[in-house]
Amino acid sequence: MDIRDAFISQYGETGVIKVISAPGRINMIGEHTDYNDGFVLPAAIDKYVTLVGALRNDRLVKIYSQDLDDYTQFSLDMIKPDNEHPWVNYLAGVIYLFLTRGYVLRGMSLAFTGNIPIGTGLSSSAALEVATAYLLKSLHEIEISPIEIIKLCQRAENDFVGVKCGIMDQYISCLGRGGQALLIDCRTLEAKPVPLLNHQVGLVIANTKVKHNLVESGYNQRKQECEEAVKLLSELIGERKRALRDVTIEEFAMYGHRLPELIGRRAKHVINENQRVLTGMTALTQGKFIEFGKLMIESHQSLRNLYQVSCSELDLMVDLACQVRGVYGSRMTGGGFGGCTVSLVQTEQVTEFVKFVGDGYVQRTGIKPEFYICSVVDGAELAN
Ligand code: GLA
């Protein structure tokens, strides 16, 4: 059923109905760099969360998830994390933060659906947060800038859901540009569009079907390890560094070996990955896909060996991808611990890719993977 119809069958006819969609994303390169004030290169994809809402005359927020066929409600005067309906926390967190920032809200009836597979590293969570923020903005005619929305949504996930995520996912879901990746400086929050594909090159996303849950995974632990690395490197170098972004490759070469082994690995990944993003951006701008592809593979190896956020299924998917002719590069995308890979593939080889990688993956794991051939779209700010 169309989500508008689902809304009406849930709530009956209401006042003015608004509909907002926010996209998921892939990240081409720059993984686990955002919360280190570093660089990322994501792109919004044509998979969305769509949220429908109307204002109410009371203080209740009623929410229906069409995909889970689940319903819950809460009062604007008592919002707290809900363990029974964990999905509602993405919306409730954003609503809560609007209220704490002083925006005046009325009760709402809401319903949503989506085709971003959940827990696969394609940012279904950020898309739901961003859709919620744009719906609040539109229903209540609130003046709020995209950057404020992005920060607020990130904060909602940090505080309400408990994942200490960086800003990449919310940023690209808001401000993505059709056909382009964005080089985002996660410290200044400035971004530069980078042309991503031409008619000869396509993006294939491969879903390992191994689910990750960042709330329980080692995500927050990685963040702490990076903070520890900054502290220790500042002492070793004798200069205060705000984030791993501020440590140069040369400084790391001089002092990195004096870090505890595990912390050293984490820091090395982040410092090199930042450089890979910058080199990769130049390569993509010049249409040098071979060079960019090599960086993608290096990035994956680093995430596997140094940052240790890959898993055997992701590694297998990347290995199989690299055996297909016409593949420039392949890597895990998103937080890791399962989820999806992204591969840059010559358009004429995409069918072969899906067959070869799909067959090989089923044979080795017994799991039937899914493939999505995606186009790169505008974020919620431009799309709505
Ligand atoms: C998740 C987080 C992002 C980012 C990536 C890893 O998607 O939400 O902020 O840290 O993992 O690059």
Side-chain angles (χ1 to χ4, degrees), residues 150-176:
I150 291 164
K151 289 195 208 156
L152 191 147
C153 290
Q154 179 200 16
R155 188 68 193 273
E157 183 145 351
N158 289 173
D159 293 356
F160 231 77
V161 181
V163 177
K164 304 294 175 196
C165 65
I167 204 149
M168 165 170 74
D169 304 347
Q170 291 78 7
Y171 197 113
I172 194 72
S173 184
C174 272
L175 289 176

PDB file of all heavy atoms in Angstrom, residues 150-176:
ATOM      1  N   ILE A 150      21.506  19.069  10.173  1.00  0.00           N
ATOM      2  CA  ILE A 150      22.493  17.991  10.156  1.00  0.00           C
ATOM      3  C   ILE A 150      23.061  17.765  11.562  1.00  0.00           C
ATOM      4  O   ILE A 150      23.117  16.643  12.064  1.00  0.00           O
ATOM      5  CB  ILE A 150      23.622  18.344   9.154  1.00  0.00           C
ATOM      6  CG1 ILE A 150      23.082  18.304   7.724  1.00  0.00           C
ATOM      7  CG2 ILE A 150      24.833  17.437   9.324  1.00  0.00           C
ATOM      8  CD1 ILE A 150      23.973  18.986   6.693  1.00  0.00           C
ATOM      9  N   LYS A 151      23.450  18.869  12.208  1.00  0.00           N
ATOM     10  CA  LYS A 151      24.060  18.750  13.538  1.00  0.00           C
ATOM     11  C   LYS A 151      23.054  18.209  14.547  1.00  0.00           C
ATOM     12  O   LYS A 151      23.388  17.390  15.400  1.00  0.00           O
ATOM     13  CB  LYS A 151      24.543  20.123  14.004  1.00  0.00           C
ATOM     14  CG  LYS A 151      25.753  20.633  13.256  1.00  0.00           C
ATOM     15  CD  LYS A 151      26.305  21.779  14.078  1.00  0.00           C
ATOM     16  CE  LYS A 151      27.018  22.796  13.267  1.00  0.00           C
ATOM     17  NZ  LYS A 151      27.088  24.122  13.848  1.00  0.00           N
ATOM     18  N   LEU A 152      21.831  18.691  14.410  1.00  0.00           N
ATOM     19  CA  LEU A 152      20.798  18.267  15.348  1.00  0.00           C
ATOM     20  C   LEU A 152      20.506  16.761  15.197  1.00  0.00           C
ATOM     21  O   LEU A 152      20.357  16.036  16.184  1.00  0.00           O
ATOM     22  CB  LEU A 152      19.566  19.119  15.067  1.00  0.00           C
ATOM     23  CG  LEU A 152      18.413  19.092  16.025  1.00  0.00           C
ATOM     24  CD1 LEU A 152      17.735  20.452  16.054  1.00  0.00           C
ATOM     25  CD2 LEU A 152      17.433  18.032  15.639  1.00  0.00           C
ATOM     26  N   CYS A 153      20.472  16.296  13.959  1.00  0.00           N
ATOM     27  CA  CYS A 153      20.193  14.873  13.729  1.00  0.00           C
ATOM     28  C   CYS A 153      21.338  14.003  14.257  1.00  0.00           C
ATOM     29  O   CYS A 153      21.114  12.940  14.833  1.00  0.00           O
ATOM     30  CB  CYS A 153      19.978  14.594  12.237  1.00  0.00           C
ATOM     31  SG  CYS A 153      18.442  15.271  11.614  1.00  0.00           S
ATOM     32  N   GLN A 154      22.551  14.468  14.052  1.00  0.00           N
ATOM     33  CA  GLN A 154      23.700  13.712  14.572  1.00  0.00           C
ATOM     34  C   GLN A 154      23.601  13.620  16.099  1.00  0.00           C
ATOM     35  O   GLN A 154      23.794  12.566  16.692  1.00  0.00           O
ATOM     36  CB  GLN A 154      25.010  14.400  14.182  1.00  0.00           C
ATOM     37  CG  GLN A 154      26.229  13.668  14.716  1.00  0.00           C
ATOM     38  CD  GLN A 154      27.472  14.541  14.776  1.00  0.00           C
ATOM     39  OE1 GLN A 154      27.392  15.772  14.698  1.00  0.00           O
ATOM     40  NE2 GLN A 154      28.624  13.918  14.915  1.00  0.00           N
ATOM     41  N   ARG A 155      23.267  14.740  16.694  1.00  0.00           N
ATOM     42  CA  ARG A 155      23.149  14.797  18.142  1.00  0.00           C
ATOM     43  C   ARG A 155      22.060  13.847  18.644  1.00  0.00           C
ATOM     44  O   ARG A 155      22.202  13.172  19.666  1.00  0.00           O
ATOM     45  CB  ARG A 155      22.848  16.242  18.523  1.00  0.00           C
ATOM     46  CG  ARG A 155      22.856  16.576  19.952  1.00  0.00           C
ATOM     47  CD  ARG A 155      24.269  16.491  20.523  1.00  0.00           C
ATOM     48  NE  ARG A 155      24.188  16.530  21.964  1.00  0.00           N
ATOM     49  CZ  ARG A 155      24.157  17.645  22.665  1.00  0.00           C
ATOM     50  NH1 ARG A 155      24.252  18.818  22.057  1.00  0.00           N
ATOM     51  NH2 ARG A 155      24.041  17.608  23.972  1.00  0.00           N
ATOM     52  N   ALA A 156      20.960  13.787  17.891  1.00  0.00           N
ATOM     53  CA  ALA A 156      19.861  12.886  18.275  1.00  0.00           C
ATOM     54  C   ALA A 156      20.370  11.452  18.308  1.00  0.00           C
ATOM     55  O   ALA A 156      20.062  10.687  19.219  1.00  0.00           O
ATOM     56  CB  ALA A 156      18.703  13.023  17.288  1.00  0.00           C
ATOM     57  N   GLU A 157      21.165  11.093  17.307  1.00  0.00           N
ATOM     58  CA  GLU A 157      21.668   9.708  17.274  1.00  0.00           C
ATOM     59  C   GLU A 157      22.671   9.475  18.411  1.00  0.00           C
ATOM     60  O   GLU A 157      22.658   8.436  19.059  1.00  0.00           O
ATOM     61  CB  GLU A 157      22.291   9.401  15.909  1.00  0.00           C
ATOM     62  CG  GLU A 157      22.735   7.968  15.825  1.00  0.00           C
ATOM     63  CD  GLU A 157      22.586   7.333  14.459  1.00  0.00           C
ATOM     64  OE1 GLU A 157      21.964   7.947  13.573  1.00  0.00           O
ATOM     65  OE2 GLU A 157      23.089   6.214  14.285  1.00  0.00           O
ATOM     66  N   ASN A 158      23.532  10.474  18.658  1.00  0.00           N
ATOM     67  CA  ASN A 158      24.521  10.348  19.741  1.00  0.00           C
ATOM     68  C   ASN A 158      23.817  10.172  21.090  1.00  0.00           C
ATOM     69  O   ASN A 158      24.146   9.278  21.858  1.00  0.00           O
ATOM     70  CB  ASN A 158      25.386  11.608  19.851  1.00  0.00           C
ATOM     71  CG  ASN A 158      26.361  11.781  18.694  1.00  0.00           C
ATOM     72  OD1 ASN A 158      27.022  12.794  18.585  1.00  0.00           O
ATOM     73  ND2 ASN A 158      26.465  10.826  17.810  1.00  0.00           N
ATOM     74  N   ASP A 159      22.841  11.025  21.364  1.00  0.00           N
ATOM     75  CA  ASP A 159      22.275  11.087  22.708  1.00  0.00           C
ATOM     76  C   ASP A 159      21.100  10.139  22.901  1.00  0.00           C
ATOM     77  O   ASP A 159      20.909   9.610  23.986  1.00  0.00           O
ATOM     78  CB  ASP A 159      21.780  12.514  23.007  1.00  0.00           C
ATOM     79  CG  ASP A 159      22.934  13.495  23.079  1.00  0.00           C
ATOM     80  OD1 ASP A 159      24.085  13.052  22.965  1.00  0.00           O
ATOM     81  OD2 ASP A 159      22.667  14.700  23.239  1.00  0.00           O
ATOM     82  N   PHE A 160      20.304   9.989  21.870  1.00  0.00           N
ATOM     83  CA  PHE A 160      19.055   9.255  22.055  1.00  0.00           C
ATOM     84  C   PHE A 160      19.184   7.788  21.697  1.00  0.00           C
ATOM     85  O   PHE A 160      18.617   6.918  22.329  1.00  0.00           O
ATOM     86  CB  PHE A 160      17.955   9.904  21.203  1.00  0.00           C
ATOM     87  CG  PHE A 160      16.730  10.190  21.997  1.00  0.00           C
ATOM     88  CD1 PHE A 160      16.705  11.276  22.854  1.00  0.00           C
ATOM     89  CD2 PHE A 160      15.620   9.375  21.906  1.00  0.00           C
ATOM     90  CE1 PHE A 160      15.581  11.534  23.609  1.00  0.00           C
ATOM     91  CE2 PHE A 160      14.489   9.615  22.654  1.00  0.00           C
ATOM     92  CZ  PHE A 160      14.465  10.694  23.510  1.00  0.00           C
ATOM     93  N   VAL A 161      19.945   7.530  20.606  1.00  0.00           N
ATOM     94  CA  VAL A 161      20.103   6.139  20.169  1.00  0.00           C
ATOM     95  C   VAL A 161      21.345   5.548  20.830  1.00  0.00           C
ATOM     96  O   VAL A 161      21.426   4.350  21.072  1.00  0.00           O
ATOM     97  CB  VAL A 161      20.206   6.076  18.624  1.00  0.00           C
ATOM     98  CG1 VAL A 161      20.351   4.656  18.144  1.00  0.00           C
ATOM     99  CG2 VAL A 161      18.993   6.753  17.989  1.00  0.00           C
ATOM    100  N   GLY A 162      22.317   6.421  21.105  1.00  0.00           N
ATOM    101  CA  GLY A 162      23.511   5.965  21.816  1.00  0.00           C
ATOM    102  C   GLY A 162      24.669   5.581  20.912  1.00  0.00           C
ATOM    103  O   GLY A 162      25.643   5.020  21.372  1.00  0.00           O
ATOM    104  N   VAL A 163      24.555   5.871  19.597  1.00  0.00           N
ATOM    105  CA  VAL A 163      25.703   5.640  18.712  1.00  0.00           C
ATOM    106  C   VAL A 163      26.431   6.974  18.570  1.00  0.00           C
ATOM    107  O   VAL A 163      25.837   7.980  18.177  1.00  0.00           O
ATOM    108  CB  VAL A 163      25.257   5.146  17.311  1.00  0.00           C
ATOM    109  CG1 VAL A 163      26.468   4.981  16.402  1.00  0.00           C
ATOM    110  CG2 VAL A 163      24.503   3.831  17.429  1.00  0.00           C
ATOM    111  N   LYS A 164      27.714   6.969  18.911  1.00  0.00           N
ATOM    112  CA  LYS A 164      28.460   8.233  18.905  1.00  0.00           C
ATOM    113  C   LYS A 164      28.973   8.517  17.494  1.00  0.00           C
ATOM    114  O   LYS A 164      30.177   8.721  17.268  1.00  0.00           O
ATOM    115  CB  LYS A 164      29.636   8.157  19.897  1.00  0.00           C
ATOM    116  CG  LYS A 164      29.207   7.799  21.305  1.00  0.00           C
ATOM    117  CD  LYS A 164      28.353   8.899  21.928  1.00  0.00           C
ATOM    118  CE  LYS A 164      27.817   8.499  23.295  1.00  0.00           C
ATOM    119  NZ  LYS A 164      26.723   9.352  23.755  1.00  0.00           N
ATOM    120  N   CYS A 165      28.062   8.484  16.546  1.00  0.00           N
ATOM    121  CA  CYS A 165      28.428   8.591  15.125  1.00  0.00           C
ATOM    122  C   CYS A 165      28.969   9.977  14.787  1.00  0.00           C
ATOM    123  O   CYS A 165      28.720  10.946  15.510  1.00  0.00           O
ATOM    124  CB  CYS A 165      27.209   8.299  14.257  1.00  0.00           C
ATOM    125  SG  CYS A 165      25.902   9.497  14.451  1.00  0.00           S
ATOM    126  N   GLY A 166      29.678  10.041  13.671  1.00  0.00           N
ATOM    127  CA  GLY A 166      30.129  11.319  13.139  1.00  0.00           C
ATOM    128  C   GLY A 166      28.988  11.979  12.368  1.00  0.00           C
ATOM    129  O   GLY A 166      27.819  11.622  12.539  1.00  0.00           O
ATOM    130  N   ILE A 167      29.373  12.892  11.475  1.00  0.00           N
ATOM    131  CA  ILE A 167      28.345  13.733  10.855  1.00  0.00           C
ATOM    132  C   ILE A 167      28.061  13.361   9.403  1.00  0.00           C
ATOM    133  O   ILE A 167      27.138  13.884   8.777  1.00  0.00           O
ATOM    134  CB  ILE A 167      28.769  15.214  10.977  1.00  0.00           C
ATOM    135  CG1 ILE A 167      27.555  16.115  10.901  1.00  0.00           C
ATOM    136  CG2 ILE A 167      29.839  15.578   9.927  1.00  0.00           C
ATOM    137  CD1 ILE A 167      27.685  17.364  11.689  1.00  0.00           C
ATOM    138  N   MET A 168      28.849  12.402   8.862  1.00  0.00           N
ATOM    139  CA  MET A 168      28.762  12.112   7.425  1.00  0.00           C
ATOM    140  C   MET A 168      27.358  11.743   6.945  1.00  0.00           C
ATOM    141  O   MET A 168      26.877  12.291   5.943  1.00  0.00           O
ATOM    142  CB  MET A 168      29.717  10.964   7.091  1.00  0.00           C
ATOM    143  CG  MET A 168      29.470  10.341   5.732  1.00  0.00           C
ATOM    144  SD  MET A 168      30.751   9.215   5.251  1.00  0.00           S
ATOM    145  CE  MET A 168      30.446   7.804   6.286  1.00  0.00           C
ATOM    146  N   ASP A 169      26.713  10.818   7.636  1.00  0.00           N
ATOM    147  CA  ASP A 169      25.474  10.247   7.097  1.00  0.00           C
ATOM    148  C   ASP A 169      24.360  11.284   7.046  1.00  0.00           C
ATOM    149  O   ASP A 169      23.618  11.385   6.052  1.00  0.00           O
ATOM    150  CB  ASP A 169      25.027   9.055   7.953  1.00  0.00           C
ATOM    151  CG  ASP A 169      26.111   8.005   8.070  1.00  0.00           C
ATOM    152  OD1 ASP A 169      27.091   8.082   7.309  1.00  0.00           O
ATOM    153  OD2 ASP A 169      25.978   7.113   8.925  1.00  0.00           O
ATOM    154  N   GLN A 170      24.241  12.043   8.114  1.00  0.00           N
ATOM    155  CA  GLN A 170      23.196  13.064   8.161  1.00  0.00           C
ATOM    156  C   GLN A 170      23.499  14.154   7.128  1.00  0.00           C
ATOM    157  O   GLN A 170      22.590  14.682   6.481  1.00  0.00           O
ATOM    158  CB  GLN A 170      23.129  13.677   9.566  1.00  0.00           C
ATOM    159  CG  GLN A 170      22.616  12.727  10.654  1.00  0.00           C
ATOM    160  CD  GLN A 170      23.655  11.730  11.138  1.00  0.00           C
ATOM    161  OE1 GLN A 170      24.832  11.798  10.772  1.00  0.00           O
ATOM    162  NE2 GLN A 170      23.236  10.803  11.975  1.00  0.00           N
ATOM    163  N   TYR A 171      24.771  14.462   6.970  1.00  0.00           N
ATOM    164  CA  TYR A 171      25.176  15.513   6.033  1.00  0.00           C
ATOM    165  C   TYR A 171      24.774  15.154   4.612  1.00  0.00           C
ATOM    166  O   TYR A 171      24.119  15.921   3.906  1.00  0.00           O
ATOM    167  CB  TYR A 171      26.701  15.704   6.104  1.00  0.00           C
ATOM    168  CG  TYR A 171      27.196  16.998   5.512  1.00  0.00           C
ATOM    169  CD1 TYR A 171      27.763  17.978   6.318  1.00  0.00           C
ATOM    170  CD2 TYR A 171      27.089  17.252   4.148  1.00  0.00           C
ATOM    171  CE1 TYR A 171      28.212  19.177   5.781  1.00  0.00           C
ATOM    172  CE2 TYR A 171      27.541  18.436   3.606  1.00  0.00           C
ATOM    173  CZ  TYR A 171      28.102  19.396   4.422  1.00  0.00           C
ATOM    174  OH  TYR A 171      28.538  20.580   3.889  1.00  0.00           O
ATOM    175  N   ILE A 172      25.139  13.949   4.199  1.00  0.00           N
ATOM    176  CA  ILE A 172      24.906  13.600   2.796  1.00  0.00           C
ATOM    177  C   ILE A 172      23.427  13.353   2.541  1.00  0.00           C
ATOM    178  O   ILE A 172      22.919  13.649   1.449  1.00  0.00           O
ATOM    179  CB  ILE A 172      25.804  12.414   2.359  1.00  0.00           C
ATOM    180  CG1 ILE A 172      25.836  12.272   0.851  1.00  0.00           C
ATOM    181  CG2 ILE A 172      25.420  11.115   3.009  1.00  0.00           C
ATOM    182  CD1 ILE A 172      26.600  13.335   0.140  1.00  0.00           C
ATOM    183  N   SER A 173      22.713  12.863   3.546  1.00  0.00           N
ATOM    184  CA  SER A 173      21.275  12.655   3.363  1.00  0.00           C
ATOM    185  C   SER A 173      20.562  13.996   3.183  1.00  0.00           C
ATOM    186  O   SER A 173      19.561  14.085   2.484  1.00  0.00           O
ATOM    187  CB  SER A 173      20.696  11.884   4.559  1.00  0.00           C
ATOM    188  OG  SER A 173      19.338  11.598   4.330  1.00  0.00           O
ATOM    189  N   CYS A 174      21.093  15.049   3.792  1.00  0.00           N
ATOM    190  CA  CYS A 174      20.517  16.392   3.617  1.00  0.00           C
ATOM    191  C   CYS A 174      20.991  17.050   2.337  1.00  0.00           C
ATOM    192  O   CYS A 174      20.202  17.591   1.579  1.00  0.00           O
ATOM    193  CB  CYS A 174      20.986  17.324   4.726  1.00  0.00           C
ATOM    194  SG  CYS A 174      20.009  17.327   6.162  1.00  0.00           S
ATOM    195  N   LEU A 175      22.315  17.037   2.131  1.00  0.00           N
ATOM    196  CA  LEU A 175      22.898  17.952   1.140  1.00  0.00           C
ATOM    197  C   LEU A 175      23.524  17.254  -0.064  1.00  0.00           C
ATOM    198  O   LEU A 175      24.246  17.886  -0.830  1.00  0.00           O
ATOM    199  CB  LEU A 175      23.940  18.848   1.830  1.00  0.00           C
ATOM    200  CG  LEU A 175      23.364  19.900   2.768  1.00  0.00           C
ATOM    201  CD1 LEU A 175      24.471  20.675   3.474  1.00  0.00           C
ATOM    202  CD2 LEU A 175      22.464  20.880   2.026  1.00  0.00           C
ATOM    203  N   GLY A 176      23.252  15.955  -0.223  1.00  0.00           N
ATOM    204  CA  GLY A 176      23.772  15.229  -1.388  1.00  0.00           C
ATOM    205  C   GLY A 176      23.372  15.923  -2.688  1.00  0.00           C
ATOM    206  O   GLY A 176      22.396  16.673  -2.728  1.00  0.00           O
TER     207      GLY A 176
END
